[in-house]
């Protein structure tokens, strides 16, 4: 098997040229809405690619296994994860070589500075053909230079992708990726349904002891915290981790706002006015800040929640200095282990359904995940169409999705008559077969973020490798109202440059004052003053650029 591995070398800092790519513009204003490419002449593209069919399958269709008509090799920029550093003898790679007749010339970059290395390679014109692990929005900086291909021009060669977009109703989701020319430049990971993960966990044995029900709203959460404090004493009841960013992110939809990890550029779209507004200057954001500020001022929430390291929060939970913490499915299992080491087995820690807020029982998110880009030079390769067909099979077919998530039937897992999969007993992965001699990711290469977009996009695959408890929680969360995503407002080069200068300072000021309000370092009575101060951070100019870009895109592509 030929799998050529190269390590990326050079300074970690991104070159000035690479940074100059931070823009997204085009002269092509013809576009359509929905999942179809923007005014793409498919017959013309097919004619242009007549000499690029080496290794391609004739009449490749959705549900069909891709097998190259002759062996092919594709170059790939690979994000090397320290938990499973790439190995030449991985079953993942050998099976692809033997079954699909595909091998890779891999340029490997470490997780720690993958994004910087990616920018450096693209900026220098040295990027491999397939550029993995790119999150929605990260591709925009490379569009104006012409360094990456418009994905939407070539989906005619990706029948599995097209089928799932249609069947899962992902057209509006793809619209959020469109750039100023009406095209999108990222092949995203896609989910059949929203996937939820983060929430609160609480000592439900304590709730049972005190005769309390699990809180369903943020107001009920406050009541529960107060009753635990009254019964158990202690300085605080709730000491959080992740410096509050996960907490504010999951709470924000219930207050009709964005915050924490989900703050982004701080913009939300007002359907009634047909324009964007800056959420952290709105009364909804104020209501959220007031709520968490009151938890701190009432002695229910540890103010160190927003500054402490994760292990400090874990130890407070383990030693019953707190009884609630923000968590996710994987962390919940670890937190239980931490408590058990300190308290024994006489406890119960459970993950709550995210409480609803004054704006409703809402959630916010996207069914798009990290995906891949294709280098512009790849279109000149003789095996370009074969590359598109293979990527479509690997990342979007049911067979490919199962392969990268479960491996090879009979070698890493078995499947019964009902389709239920079981990992081989000598392979450890997450909570399965703990202590087994072989490791699913490190020894075989599967469940790999570079080869498995969204870690399995069908609902069936999303729910595998997780406990029945977590499955039930996911299904419970699915009943929430999913708030609509912002419509796109792609920026031209000048706008991107202006916005990048303003946004960092503006959002940093928001985060600084959010923390000050919650911790009581600044009284909420100064809210109006804070909003006025945002104007000093060029808020009006910022929103003028955003709304101008939105209106232009609607005029040209709406």
């Amino acid at each position: 098997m030929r799998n050529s591995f190269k390590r990326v070398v050079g300074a970690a800092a991104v070159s000035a040229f690479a940074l100059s790519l931070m823009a997204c513009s085009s002269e092509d204003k013809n576009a359509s809405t929905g999942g179809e490419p923007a005014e793409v002449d498919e017959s013309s593209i097919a004619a242009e690619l007549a000499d690029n069919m080496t290794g391609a399958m004739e009449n490749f269709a959705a549900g069909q296994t891709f097998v190259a008509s002759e062996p092919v090799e594709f170059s790939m920029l690979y994000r090397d994860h320290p938990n499973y550093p790439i190995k030449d003898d991985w079953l993942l790679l050998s099976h692809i070589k033997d079954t699909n007749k595909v091998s890779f010339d891999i340029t490997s970059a470490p997780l720690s500075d993958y994004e910087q290395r990616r920018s450096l390679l693209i900026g220098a014109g040295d990027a491999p053909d397939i550029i993995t692990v790119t999150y929605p929005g990260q591709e925009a900086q490379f569009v104006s230079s012409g360094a990456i291909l418009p994905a939407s021009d070539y989906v005619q060669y990706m029948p599995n992708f097209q089928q799932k977009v249609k069947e899962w109703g992902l057209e509006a989701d793809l619209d959020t990726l469109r750039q100023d020319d009406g095209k999108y430049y990222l092949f995203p990971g896609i989910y059949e349904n929203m996937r939820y993960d983060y929430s609160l966990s609480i000592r439900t044995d304590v709730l049972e002891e005190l005769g309390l029900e699990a809180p369903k709203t943020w107001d009920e959460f406050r009541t529960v915290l107060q009753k635990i404090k009254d019964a158990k004493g202690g300085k605080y009841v709730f000491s959080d981790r992740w410096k509050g960013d996960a907490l504010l992110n999951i709470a924000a939809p219930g207050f009709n706002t964005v915050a924490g990890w989900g703050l982004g550029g701080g913009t939300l779209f007002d359907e009634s006015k047909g324009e964007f507004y800056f959420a952290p200057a709105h009364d909804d954001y104020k209501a959220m800040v007031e709520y968490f500020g009151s938890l701190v001022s009432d002695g229910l929430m540890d103010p160190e929640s927003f500054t402490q390291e994760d292990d400090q929060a874990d130890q407070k939970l383990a030693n019953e200095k707190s009884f609630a913490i923000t968590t996710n499915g994987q962390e919940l299992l670890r937190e239980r282990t931490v408590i058990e080491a300190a308290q024994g087995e006489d406890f119960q820690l459970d993950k709550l359904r995210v409480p609803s807020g004054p704006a409703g029982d809402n959630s916010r998110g996207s069914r798009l995940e990290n995906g891949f880009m294709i280098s512009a030079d790849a279109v000149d390769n003789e095996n370009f169409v074969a590359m598109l067909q293979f990527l479509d099979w690997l990342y979007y077919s049911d067979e490919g999705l199962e392969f990268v998530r479960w491996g090879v039937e009979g070698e890493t897992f078995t499947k019964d008559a009902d389709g239920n999969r079981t990992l081989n007993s000598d392979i450890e992965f997450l909570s399965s077969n703990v202590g087994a001699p072989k490791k699913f990711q490190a020894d075989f290469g599967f469940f790999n973020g570079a080869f498995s977009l969204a870690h399995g996009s069908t609902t069936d695959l999303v729910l595998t490798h997780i406990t029945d408890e977590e499955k039930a929680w996911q299904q419970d969360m699915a009943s929430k109202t999913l708030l609509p995503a912002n419509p796109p407002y792609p920026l031209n080069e000048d706008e991107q440059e202006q916005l990048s200068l303003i946004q960092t300072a503006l959002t940093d000021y928001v985060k600084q004052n959010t923390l000050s309000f919650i911790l009581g370092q600044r009284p909420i009575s100064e809210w109006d003053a804070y909003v006025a101060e945002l104007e000093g951070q060029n808020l009006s100019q910022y929103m003028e650029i955003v709304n101008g870009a939105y209106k232009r895109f609607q005029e040209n592509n709406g």
Side-chain angles (χ1 to χ4, degrees), residues 345-358:
E345 298 182 358
D346 190 21
F347 75 94
Q348 185 65 44
L349 183 75
D350 290 307
K351 191 176 176 185
L352 296 177
R353 186 178 188 274
V354 175
S356 62

Side-chain angles (χ1 to χ4, degrees), residues 65-346:
T65 301
F66 173 80
V67 181
S69 59
E70 62 181 78
V72 291
E73 180 183 77
F74 306 134
S75 63
M76 172 184 283
L77 177 61
Y78 175 82
R79 187 192 68 178
D80 203 7
H81 199 291
N83 292 345
Y84 43 94
I86 192 166
K87 296 178 181 177
D88 188 63
D89 63 352
W90 271 351
L91 178 59
L92 169 77
L93 298 173
S94 63
H95 188 81
I96 288 174
K97 194 266 184 181
D98 295 339
T99 303
N100 308 101
K101 296 184 181 180
V102 171
S103 57
F104 302 98
D105 178 11
I106 290 181
T107 297
S108 178
L111 172 67
S112 58
D113 64 348
Y114 177 76
E115 293 178 14
Q116 291 180 316
R117 301 286 179 95
R118 180 184 62 199
S119 295
L120 183 62
L121 285 169
I122 294 175
D126 295 329
D129 293 335
I130 304 166
I131 305 167
T132 63
V133 194
T134 300
Y135 284 85
Q138 292 181 337
E139 80 283 7
Q141 59 187 295
F142 308 115
V143 170
S144 66
S145 68
I148 57 173
L149 285 180
S152 53
D153 279 359
Y154 299 97
V155 294
Q156 62 177 300
Y157 296 100
M158 308 186 78
N160 292 289
F161 175 78
Q162 289 183 306
Q163 182 184 67
K164 283 184 168 52
V165 167
K166 181 178 180 180
E167 290 181 356
W168 296 352
L170 286 164
E171 293 86 357
D173 299 75
L174 289 179
D175 280 346
T176 66
L177 297 177
R178 295 191 186 276
Q179 302 299 316
D180 201 33
D181 58 1
K183 302 179 181 183
Y184 53 89
Y185 288 73
L186 178 73
F187 290 100
I190 55 177
Y191 287 117
E192 182 177 5
N193 293 300
M194 266 293 297
R195 179 179 180 272
Y196 301 95
D197 196 5
Y198 289 83
S199 186
L200 298 164
S201 63
I202 196 166
R203 285 281 299 275
T204 47
D205 60 308
V206 175
L207 297 188
E208 184 177 354
E209 175 189 339
L210 301 177
L212 301 173
E213 297 290 332
K216 296 180 180 179
T217 69
W218 287 106
D219 284 342
E220 289 179 7
F221 182 63
R222 170 205 294 281
T223 300
V224 164
L225 294 182
Q226 185 63 63
K227 290 186 176 181
I228 294 175
K229 185 179 177 69
D230 292 342
K232 297 292 185 180
K235 198 171 183 181
Y236 305 106
V237 187
F238 176 30
S239 188
D240 203 24
R241 59 182 307 179
W242 291 311
K243 296 180 169 58
D245 283 328
L247 175 66
L248 295 181
N249 183 38
I250 63 170
F255 290 85
N256 192 34
T257 191
V258 289
W261 284 336
L263 177 63
T267 57
L268 281 178
F269 190 71
D270 186 331
E271 291 281 355
S272 64
K273 295 182 179 179
E275 64 181 18
F276 285 88
Y277 65 95
F278 192 62
H282 196 275
D283 284 347
D284 291 334
Y285 194 92
K286 178 185 178 183
M288 181 194 67
V289 168
E290 282 185 297
Y291 173 81
F292 288 105
S294 69
L295 295 187
V296 172
S297 64
D298 291 347
L300 301 176
M301 183 176 183
D302 182 1
E304 292 182 356
S305 297
F306 299 91
T307 55
Q308 67 189 353
E309 298 301 321
D310 291 355
D311 60 347
Q312 293 175 290
D314 287 338
Q315 288 306 309
K316 290 176 181 178
L317 185 69
N319 296 320
E320 296 193 336
K321 293 183 178 179
S322 74
F323 296 88
I325 194 170
T326 303
T327 193
N328 61 34
Q330 197 165 337
E331 286 298 305
L332 178 65
L333 301 178
R334 190 190 58 77
E335 288 161 357
R336 286 171 175 168
T337 301
V338 171
I339 297 175
E340 184 176 349
Q343 302 290 335
E345 298 182 358
D346 190 21

